[in-house]
Amino acid sequence: MARLRVFVNERPVDVARGATVRDAVAALDHGLADLLATAAAYVTDGVGRQVDARDPVGEAGGVFRVVVTARRAPAISKEALRRWPKAELHVHLDGSLRPATMLELAREQHVRLPADTPEGLTLALSVQGVHSLEEYLTKYQLTLAVMQTAAALERIAYEFVVDLAAEQVRYVEVRYSPLLHRPALTLTQAIEAPLRGIERAVRETGTRVGLIVCGIRTLPPAMSLELAQVAVGYRSAGVVGFDLAGAEHGHPAEDHRAAFALAVQHGLACTCHAGEGDGPASIHQALQSCGAQRIGHGTRLGEDPALLEYVVAQRIPLEMCLTSNLHTHAVPSLTTHPFRRYLEQGVVVTLNTDGRLVDGVTLTDEYHLAHTALGLGKDELVRVVLNACESAFLPEFERVALVARIQSELEKIA
Ligand code: ADE
Ligand code: ZN
């Protein structure tokens, strides 16, 4: 598809032909684009005339400026947030590859991809513009196509940790489903390979890493159980948790309760994607039938006030992902995202990327978005970082040490 280069606030952005001015602003900064919707900002052209953000950008070379009329307190820059120590609890390894690595692996493995440049591939993998969680998940077929060897899995896991360490992520739990690497690899091979890559990156970066394995809702529950049986053997070798991912609506978590029960019985922590592609009953099931200690997303929790009260009282953390929720249409817009409301109601909310490549975000971006679009101030952002540390699937004494270390670092720089 033909791309046009235009300039927003002096910065070049590439958009599809026919894109609107708002799309161009969003390509630069989602938070800024959301301000346009609330009339807290407007756009002018190169000579200062106001333009309608719903108009098409027109020709290449167009110049636009966003004038913010009602932003709160001095903003915290993305650069500053990049320097904050952070923790991430919900990110898919198979959604977070480096595009250049993907191309190299495809060449080595003779796998055909829809593009042969990192930019083209990033565009082809982007989940912007998909219509549902189910369509969003189809992008993973492309990344998984180059992840069917132990060497590829090891490299991708290594690079993933190095990239997170570079943006000061001090603790990360990364997830994927070893089931999606069969028949090329056995479950054992598909678990040991990323563990090797992680171990090497941990030695080099000092970032602490836990691996979460995912059953898949649309695969037979017996496969989830088989995965849990293998995964518990790696409990003291880096596997910290069990999760259930995949299309949520019509695929109840309770079908997979035997896998969760086995994981819990052997001391693996459990989380479960829920309340993202389906309503609060799905969250209820994840908690009550599966024993999930955290919820992946939980976006629709607020539709059941009694359940929300329970989640607050039990201090059940939500692993929330703002940009991903926009992409999957779990929320219609960022301004209506319940993250801030949940925080104010006392829910232990955390911020996460879900997929660095497919969603096109870093953890720093998500914190910046929470700041610019949802209006979270410094103290609230610090609370969210500490929520993530306090919700880590770590033994109590290590969790306490992580919280203390990040808190003291934040006191010095935030
Ligand atoms: N697998 C990868 N991303 C996912 C998501 N957002 N929801 C459920 N399963 C997933
Ligand atoms: Zn997810």
Side-chain angles (χ1 to χ4, degrees), residues 90 92 175 243 245 273 276 297 321 354:
H90 189 125
H92 295 259
R175 64 188 72 194
D243 172 38
H273 281 76
E276 176 199 26
H297 298 278
C321 311
D354 217 10

Side-chain angles (χ1 to χ4, degrees), residues 3-7 11-16 19 23-24 27 119 123:
R3 310 285 292 168
L4 285 179
R5 170 152 296 185
V6 297
F7 296 85
R11 305 258 306 277
V13 293
D14 294 323
V15 291
D23 294 334
E119 298 75 28
L123 203 63

Side-chain angles (χ1 to χ4, degrees), residues 90 92 94 133 136-137 140 244-247 273 276 297 324 328 354:
H90 189 125
H92 295 259
D94 42 346
L133 174 59
Y136 172 100
L137 294 173
Y140 279 80
L244 188 63
H273 281 76
E276 176 199 26
H297 298 278
S324 163
T328 60
D354 217 10

Side-chain angles (χ1 to χ4, degrees), residues 130-400:
V130 301
H131 299 96
S132 63
L133 174 59
E134 286 73 13
E135 191 182 345
Y136 172 100
L137 294 173
T138 61
K139 299 285 181 176
Y140 279 80
Q141 289 165 8
L142 289 172
T143 55
L144 283 165
V146 300
M147 298 178 74
Q148 301 301 316
T149 71
L153 264 174
E154 179 176 337
R155 173 178 176 178
I156 289 162
Y158 168 80
E159 292 178 349
F160 168 85
V161 177
V162 167
D163 290 350
L164 267 79
E167 59 159 331
Q168 309 307 322
V169 178
R170 299 290 153 74
Y171 178 78
V172 54
E173 286 168 15
V174 57
R175 64 188 72 194
Y176 74 116
S177 179
L179 295 171
L180 303 179
H181 301 267
R182 293 199 298 191
L185 301 174
T186 63
L187 292 181
T188 298
Q189 288 168 328
I191 291 176
E192 290 183 356
L195 284 175
R196 278 195 299 275
I198 287 169
E199 193 188 329
R200 185 154 59 93
V202 167
R203 272 201 310 272
E204 289 176 19
T205 64
T207 284
R208 185 80 211 261
V209 186
L211 196 61
I212 295 177
V213 298
C214 309
I216 299 291
R217 284 177 185 264
T218 47
L219 291 178
M223 284 197 191
S224 292
L225 181 60
E226 192 187 351
L227 173 61
Q229 278 160 343
V230 177
V232 295
Y234 291 87
R235 201 174 70 79
S236 41
V239 175
V240 298
F242 185 82
D243 172 38
L244 188 63
E248 188 179 348
H249 184 71
H251 304 284
E254 69 184 3
D255 291 355
H256 301 259
R257 63 186 176 278
F260 280 100
L262 186 115
V264 170
Q265 200 188 330
H266 288 81
L268 266 193
C270 290
T271 178
C272 184
H273 281 76
E276 176 199 26
D278 210 349
S282 171
I283 301 174
H284 188 273
Q285 217 177 78
L287 296 172
Q288 305 307 342
S289 305
C290 303
Q293 292 145 258
R294 298 194 317 231
I295 293 293
H297 298 278
T299 317
R300 294 181 56 185
L301 172 66
E303 292 172 30
D304 182 341
L307 187 62
L308 186 138
E309 217 172 280
Y310 175 83
V311 164
V312 171
Q314 298 297 314
R315 297 194 56 74
I316 295 160
L318 299 189
E319 307 155 358
M320 302 203 84
C321 311
L322 302 177
T323 302
S324 163
N325 282 173
L326 272 185
H327 289 154
T328 60
H329 300 269
V331 292
S333 68
L334 211 45
T335 40
T336 55
H337 198 288
F339 183 88
R340 188 193 176 101
R341 184 159 42 92
Y342 292 170
L343 178 67
E344 288 168 354
Q345 288 171 324
V347 182
V348 181
V349 285
T350 66
L351 274 176
N352 306 277
T353 58
D354 217 10
R356 287 167 67 88
L357 173 60
V358 295
D359 289 298
V361 289
T362 62
L363 190 57
T364 305
D365 292 333
E366 290 297 274
Y367 273 84
H368 194 241
L369 200 56
H371 177 51
T372 55
L374 304 184
L376 267 70
K378 191 192 103 183
D379 292 349
E380 290 161 311
L381 293 169
V382 165
R383 171 62 5 233
V384 174
V385 174
L386 295 177
N387 279 352
C389 298
E390 287 165 6
S391 308
F393 287 157
L394 280 173
E396 169 89 16
F397 73 100
E398 290 188 52
R399 197 166 51 235
V400 169

